[in-house]
Amino acid sequence: MGYITKYGSFWGMLPQTAGRIFWVAPADAYTVEGRSYSASDGNDGLSPERAFRTVDYGHNQMTASVGDILVLLPGAHTSTATVALDVAGVTIVGIPGGAHEHGSRSSSSGPLNKSSITNTGTAGIIFTVTAADVEVAYLDIEPTAAGGRGFSVTLAGARLYVHDCNIIMDGTASVTTYGIHYPDDVTGVNARPWIRNCYFASGTISTSGANGPAILFAGTVRGAIIENCTFELLGTAAWADAILNTGITNEMTVRDCDFITPTVTTTVMTDAIDCTLASTNGGTKVFRCYFMEGSDAFEATVTLDIVAAECYLANSTGSILAASA
């Protein structure tokens, strides 16, 4: 029971809470502090030594809005079906690879998390969010099937908070594979998703297929904030959009983000940030972002749709993108 008093190990890195902390193991047999244990959904899950076996079962044991946390122990977690995040006000975390430092910009290679999750089902959607105030952190999230999603956020998924995650789209390439997808309207002024300190990657160095956007707001999403994130194109085919915002009245702020492409100049992000159909003047705000040479930083219906300040488009000498009014 050393995890109760141990300071400085990953037990001490968990968020402070007055709720319960549940644990999930990545395999039937797992090891904690040098001892072997058996995971089972018949366990109570309230100790690392008595971990649940599946993420979905563990999530279903949580109580809404009392601070409950579900911890994915180190290793590769696999689900055969989407995990429905339908309990409001809960937190799902993996194990971070050391203390995370929240500076002004994210790491160019993403956080070094110890826990990952993927989905082997045909739909390939890892998390479907249907409840408000859900937080997900310190996970490597890997949609592998064509048309898969890291997150699909539906009507009631207001105020989703995703931070310190790696969302890696390196499975079967498909333009309908997305990192975070809002297919439906999330109505009201309190929608406000917050995506922070995340690393998004599309493809691999050896693949040529293209994926869909890392973040796609297809419905109405008010007050989205995307900050301190890195978007990296690893494949050899152009990435049409890293961030795509198609909701007419959407409001989105992107700040302190980097958009990285390979050194091959023909491999570009056609548009790093595309808000062609989000036609509210000034509805998209972009501050202090860096874009690689050959890629278009923005696409909009008219210049008034995007307000940009202190953004840089890389070339051999460096350049700055002037603010739009």
Side-chain angles (χ1 to χ4, degrees):
M1 301 295 288
Y3 70 91
I4 293 178
T5 58
K6 188 175 292 185
Y7 179 80
S9 69
F10 63 65
W11 316 123
M13 296 177 185
L14 297 177
Q16 293 181 348
T17 183
R20 296 172 297 174
I21 300 178
F22 295 101
W23 304 81
V24 181
D28 294 341
Y30 66 102
T31 301
V32 173
E33 294 186 336
R35 299 181 181 90
S36 296
Y37 299 95
S38 296
S40 170
D41 287 343
N43 293 341
D44 64 14
L46 291 171
S47 160
E49 295 95 332
R50 303 189 301 275
F52 294 133
R53 179 60 187 92
T54 62
V55 175
D56 189 60
Y57 182 86
H59 173 265
N60 290 337
Q61 308 316 302
M62 304 170 83
T63 300
S65 304
V66 296
D68 281 0
I69 297 173
L70 182 67
V71 184
L72 277 62
L73 285 163
H77 295 253
T78 301
S79 176
T80 57
T82 184
V83 177
L85 302 184
D86 54 5
V87 181
V90 300
T91 299
I92 296 92
V93 299
I95 302 301
H100 283 57
E101 297 181 4
H102 292 252
S104 60
R105 303 193 75 84
S106 68
S107 165
S108 61
S109 59
L112 300 176
N113 296 319
K114 303 293 187 183
S115 307
S116 66
I117 183 169
T118 190
N119 185 323
T120 60
T122 55
I125 299 173
I126 296 175
F127 294 118
T128 298
V129 185
T130 61
D133 301 308
V134 171
E135 177 181 356
V136 180
Y138 309 121
L139 279 173
D140 287 0
I141 298 168
E142 303 173 8
T144 56
R149 314 280 194 272
F151 295 84
S152 181
V153 188
T154 56
L155 288 172
R159 298 178 300 279
L160 173 65
Y161 181 26
V162 180
H163 63 93
D164 296 289
C165 289
N166 297 311
I167 301 179
I168 312 298
M169 300 183 293
D170 64 355
T172 303
S174 170
V175 295
T176 59
T177 296
Y178 311 126
I180 299 177
H181 183 208
Y182 280 74
D184 299 313
D185 292 349
V186 183
T187 57
V189 296
N190 292 320
R192 300 190 178 281
W194 189 11
I195 302 164
R196 188 170 191 262
N197 286 4
C198 290
Y199 171 77
F200 297 85
S202 177
T204 67
I205 295 173
S206 60
T207 60
S208 58
N211 286 308
I215 301 173
L216 171 55
F217 297 130
T220 298
V221 181
R222 300 294 181 85
I225 296 177
I226 304 166
E227 64 178 1
N228 300 330
C229 293
T230 297
F231 300 82
E232 185 168 15
L233 172 58
L234 296 174
T236 56
W239 198 2
D241 304 293
I243 299 174
L244 178 58
N245 184 359
T246 65
I248 293 174
T249 59
N250 284 3
E251 300 166 1
M252 176 178 72
T253 299
V254 184
R255 59 190 177 212
D256 297 306
C257 292
D258 295 337
F259 297 82
I260 300 172
T261 58
T263 55
V264 179
T265 57
T266 56
T267 306
V268 299
M269 295 178 186
T270 307
D271 301 306
I273 301 173
D274 186 340
C275 62
T276 303
L277 299 179
S279 56
T280 299
N281 287 349
T284 297
K285 303 170 183 66
V286 186
F287 307 131
R288 300 180 302 276
C289 291
Y290 295 158
F291 305 92
M292 293 295 289
E293 182 178 11
S295 297
D296 286 341
F298 312 122
E299 182 175 359
T301 305
V302 296
T303 56
L304 292 177
D305 291 347
I306 295 179
V307 175
E310 298 184 82
C311 293
Y312 289 85
L313 181 62
N315 59 34
S316 57
T317 58
S319 61
I320 187 169
L321 298 175
S324 299

